[in-house]
Each structure stands twice: as structure tokens, then as C-alpha cells.
Amino acid sequence: MKRHIVSAAAGLWFCLLAPGMAQQSEPGVVVELYTSQGCSSCPPADALLADLAKKPGVIALALHVDYWDYIGWADTFGQAQFTARQKAYARANGSKMVYTPQMIIGGGERVVGNEPGQVNAAVKRLLGTSSPVTLTLERRGNRVVIRAEADPPLKRGTRVQLVRYQPSKVVEIQRGENAGESISYANIVTDWQPIAEWSGKAPLEMQAAAPGNLPVVVIIQSDGPAEILAAARIR
């Protein structure tokens, strides 16, 4: 059963770079899963995201919300900023409801997260699209160099965002709806920050701090939040 709560409220590229060796860029689709360790309907969606994370051309990201913490188990990955992002998507779509599990694909398609047929169909559709934006990343020590270009130039500005995630972790859930379960989570987002505004007219070249060895994802997205025009990842 879907969990609900009332709120107040694309062609993509990713580039995998290893030290001393640049790997080939490939197209990708950003899949955001809004999930919670306290939601009994979420484990199938968590498993589906783990499968998507293994697919070429997919950047799968798990954002754990905090609005189910009150029912007995505080999500160990939950962050208020992820709840706020999901609510912003809902407002942009004219909705007053957010729920778990939900997947938002390419910033535009909204799908129930434990419906693999719908999720895979949406991913397939977006894999077949193109974008005017080309995006590449390069690691330089504890920083990442971001380069983007739009051809033709964009008609509206975009937001550049930097995302870090933990590739995997198993959690023993002791209370709440999933009490007694040992659940494996994939691509757990630890931080999601806007780092720049880009008009999409002149080429973009900038650097951002990216300390540590967690993967880095950069996302260029229309305001709303709305369509993701480009995304890139380095591990």
C-alpha cells in the first residue's frame, strides 16, 4: 500500500573517471527514490533502485525522508532537506501530497516506486531522448571541475547541483513497521547542494569542493524543480 502525507505545499551524460585514466562518457537518466526505513511499502522499491543502480546509463539516487520517523523508527539516513525537495516537486506539479515510495525520473516523470513496470518504462523512454546540454566532470584532488555547454543555447536558466552518495549499506531495523528486518540500501544520498546558477548561454566551467572518496554527481536542472537537462557522475 502507498504511504501518503499531506504537505503544505532528457538526454543526460555521465562520465566515469579513474585516477590517471578517463573513462568513456555515456548517456544516463537520473532516478530519485523517495523512501523511508519506517515505511513497510518501501523495501521492494529499495530493491528495485539497487537493480537500477547496476544498469548502464542510469544514475540511481536514494533520498531518505524524515516524515515517517514518528511512527517508531527514525530513518538513519533521513534528512529534512530530502523531504523539502520532494515537497517542492509536489508543489511544482500542483499537488498537495507526497508519499513513499516515489520515484522521480529525469526530474519530470513521477512513478510509484514499487511498480517496476512503470519505472522501467519511464527510464526506457528517457534513455531514448536527447538534450542540448553536454556535461563532463574531472577530479582534481578534493575538487571537481565541471564543464557544460548548451547547443543551441537554453531559453531559461538552470540550477547546478552537487550530490554525494554512499554506494551501499545494510541496516538492521529494530522498531516500526519494518522491525526485525535487515535491509540493504543502495546509492544513499548523503548531501545534495545547489552550487551555481547557469544561464545555459555561454559555456560553463567551474570547480566545486568534493572531499573524500564518495562518488560525485552533478545535476543541471530547470527550476521548479523540473526537467533534468544533464547529469554526470565520477566515482
Side-chain angles (χ1 to χ4, degrees), residues 119-199:
V119 170
N120 287 321
V123 170
K124 184 177 180 180
R125 281 194 298 273
L126 289 184
L127 279 170
T129 64
S130 61
S131 170
V133 177
T134 302
L135 172 65
T136 60
L137 308 179
E138 177 189 348
R139 274 195 188 274
R140 289 185 183 173
N142 285 331
R143 303 187 69 78
V144 60
V145 180
I146 302 163
R147 298 183 180 92
E149 188 169 358
D151 184 17
L154 302 180
K155 295 181 179 179
R156 55 182 295 193
T158 63
R159 181 166 296 180
V160 183
Q161 301 159 97
L162 191 144
V163 181
R164 308 299 301 272
Y165 69 83
Q166 182 176 351
S168 65
K169 186 160 186 174
V170 176
V171 177
E172 303 286 343
I173 299 176
Q174 299 172 13
R175 295 181 299 278
E177 292 187 349
N178 292 317
E181 297 291 333
S182 177
I183 300 177
S184 178
Y185 295 98
N187 290 16
I188 308 144
V189 175
T190 58
D191 192 46
W192 189 307
Q193 298 296 333
I195 56 172
E197 302 290 328
W198 179 46
S199 69

Side-chain angles (χ1 to χ4, degrees), residues 40-180:
S40 62
S41 301
C42 286
D46 299 320
L48 176 57
L49 189 86
D51 288 340
L52 289 170
K54 301 171 186 175
K55 292 182 180 295
V58 176
I59 301 175
L61 301 170
L63 293 93
H64 286 245
V65 299
D66 64 353
Y67 51 77
W68 295 122
D69 288 0
Y70 77 94
I71 62 175
W73 177 257
D75 192 305
T76 57
F77 309 131
Q79 294 192 38
Q81 68 164 315
F82 304 150
T83 297
R85 180 171 172 83
Q86 189 185 22
K87 288 181 177 180
Y89 269 125
R91 288 194 300 271
N93 198 41
S95 173
K96 295 183 178 180
M97 306 291 291
V98 293
Y99 65 88
T100 57
Q102 181 185 39
M103 289 194 187
I104 297 179
I105 302 164
E109 299 217 26
R110 295 155 172 80
V111 182
V112 177
N114 52 13
E115 295 289 345
Q118 295 180 28
V119 170
N120 287 321
V123 170
K124 184 177 180 180
R125 281 194 298 273
L126 289 184
L127 279 170
T129 64
S130 61
S131 170
V133 177
T134 302
L135 172 65
T136 60
L137 308 179
E138 177 189 348
R139 274 195 188 274
R140 289 185 183 173
N142 285 331
R143 303 187 69 78
V144 60
V145 180
I146 302 163
R147 298 183 180 92
E149 188 169 358
D151 184 17
L154 302 180
K155 295 181 179 179
R156 55 182 295 193
T158 63
R159 181 166 296 180
V160 183
Q161 301 159 97
L162 191 144
V163 181
R164 308 299 301 272
Y165 69 83
Q166 182 176 351
S168 65
K169 186 160 186 174
V170 176
V171 177
E172 303 286 343
I173 299 176
Q174 299 172 13
R175 295 181 299 278
E177 292 187 349
N178 292 317

